[in-house]
Amino acid sequence: MPSPMIKDMLTFLDKSVTAFHAVLSSESELQQQGFVRLNENEAWELKPSGKYYVIRDESALAAWQMGTGERSGIKLVGAHTDSPGLHVKPNAVVNKSGYVQLGVEVYGGPLLASWTDRDLSLAGRVIIKEDNKLVIKAYRSDQVLLRVPQLAIHLNREVNDKGLLLNKQTHLPPILTLETTEENPFDIDSFKSMLASDLGVEQSQIMNWQLECYDTQAARLSGLNQEFIVSGRIDNLTMCHAALKALTGDASARAQTSLIALFDNEEIGSGTSNGAASSFVRDIIHRILDKDGGKHELQKGLADSFCISADGAHAVHPNYSEFHDPEHAVEMNKGPVIKVNANHRYATSAMSASIFEQLCQDVDVPVQRYVHKTDLPCGSTIGPITATGLGIPVVDVGNAMLSMHSIRETAGTSDHEMMIKVLSHFFRKDDVLAV
Ligand code: ZN
């Protein structure tokens, strides 16, 4: 039987089908734990040990518990809410060969073949006119609505030898329905009607949307001993969940402010108004630290801050072990992974790695080290962007996982609880340099 924490994580994954929904499910957790929402267009009155959160553009969230005031500086855990996938175009409807399909763009770098032959649906946000105002509505269809069927092997004889090659324009539009005729074609108004009836509004109220396909199959555990988590969006919603649990799991007073930042748009480089490269987290830290301008509280506080950037790490794949550096092949359920890259695709330094390793030692959690195979280009994450934007030490960590960016990824069950244990300890520990 999975522990309550693992069950909670599976529910979080199922609820959080898009970045918008990830923010909604995070918000409901924060509200249950007594966190108060603040708005960026208002003045804030922050009290010692007070618990607050801010949402920017519905898809990024920062939440924090104020320190007692004994120490300045921030303890920050960063993660991201978005996942690669297929996003619906504005002129969404494609009528072809008797089918109605949706035109889609590829967001980020999904393993495209994994999106074929899956039971897909549609979710995101829709902008509507309501009471003379533009209003955002979260949208999620729970119906299995869409499918990207593969070509039969009889028509593509070489597919098993050459691999499934997908043209992003022509091979990805998912099929929505057959309900279209020459006299009565399914058009953009029909699509708007579908959205409107799901949202309980009039078709004329629908303005625009940011909708994406999602896999309707629920997250679950697998393996002989249920040692694997299998789901979409493990990268990076498991780390969002771990950060949330670490922040909300223990309300005792802490000397320093504990902050989590769940950014959008990591998968496309973080360069948006609520991505890690934006002013989002810096603006919040500024308000927390710079209580009396002129005394350099912000700069002094930043100099006393530390960030853990948590994102997926590549577990060694038994069928492709040659793609891993043999000295840095990390395994599932062997503990959190510290990610190192000499060119700072990961922000880890010897010192930030030592701080994280000490945190793991403090709570008896094993730790692993990952370096990308030297003859392969290394991916990156929010760590280096946060280090650049804030000028604070950052360690890039994560849990080992397989099939990163597949529609259905795999990670280790007990790694998740270990990561929560370490992040919780990070927030509680008075001095991260203490051994
Ligand atoms: Zn990621």
Side-chain angles (χ1 to χ4, degrees), residues 76 281-282 285 302 307 385-392:
L76 171 61
V281 79
R282 192 178 177 92
I285 291 177
L302 283 173
C307 172
I385 296 164
T386 308
T388 308
L390 296 175
I392 66 174

Side-chain angles (χ1 to χ4, degrees), residues 228-245:
F228 304 113
I229 304 157
V230 288
S231 172
R233 307 172 302 281
I234 284 177
D235 168 16
N236 185 238
L237 295 182
T238 50
M239 292 301 107
C240 290
H241 180 262
L244 264 174
K245 289 292 163 184

Side-chain angles (χ1 to χ4, degrees), residues 80 235-236 266-267 311-312:
H80 65 91
D235 168 16
N236 185 238
E266 188 272 347
E267 299 295 352
D311 203 348

Side-chain angles (χ1 to χ4, degrees), residues 200-323:
V201 301
E202 298 296 319
Q203 183 206 310
S204 58
Q205 289 176 266
I206 306 273
M207 292 283 285
N208 282 292
W209 49 80
Q210 271 170 273
L211 294 172
E212 56 193 276
C213 304
Y214 77 90
D215 186 5
T216 56
Q217 189 175 3
R220 62 201 312 176
L221 300 185
S222 81
L224 181 62
N225 301 306
Q226 305 284 276
E227 58 266 70
F228 304 113
I229 304 157
V230 288
S231 172
R233 307 172 302 281
I234 284 177
D235 168 16
N236 185 238
L237 295 182
T238 50
M239 292 301 107
C240 290
H241 180 262
L244 264 174
K245 289 292 163 184
L247 180 70
T248 60
D250 172 6
S252 58
R254 300 152 183 177
Q256 279 185 308
T257 296
S258 310
L259 170 66
I260 64 169
L262 313 181
F263 299 103
D264 196 3
N265 301 128
E266 188 272 347
E267 299 295 352
I268 52 162
S270 300
T272 59
S273 65
N274 60 0
S278 75
S279 62
F280 184 44
V281 79
R282 192 178 177 92
D283 288 348
I284 289 166
I285 291 177
H286 199 130
R287 293 214 206 186
I288 293 171
L289 293 177
D290 201 8
K291 289 171 225 92
D292 44 359
K295 291 188 184 161
H296 309 298
E297 292 300 330
L298 174 66
Q299 288 76 6
K300 285 195 291 187
L302 283 173
D304 204 14
S305 295
F306 187 75
C307 172
I308 297 175
S309 155
D311 203 348
H314 299 292
V316 63
H317 193 309
N319 302 349
Y320 302 90
S321 55
E322 68 275 20
F323 286 91

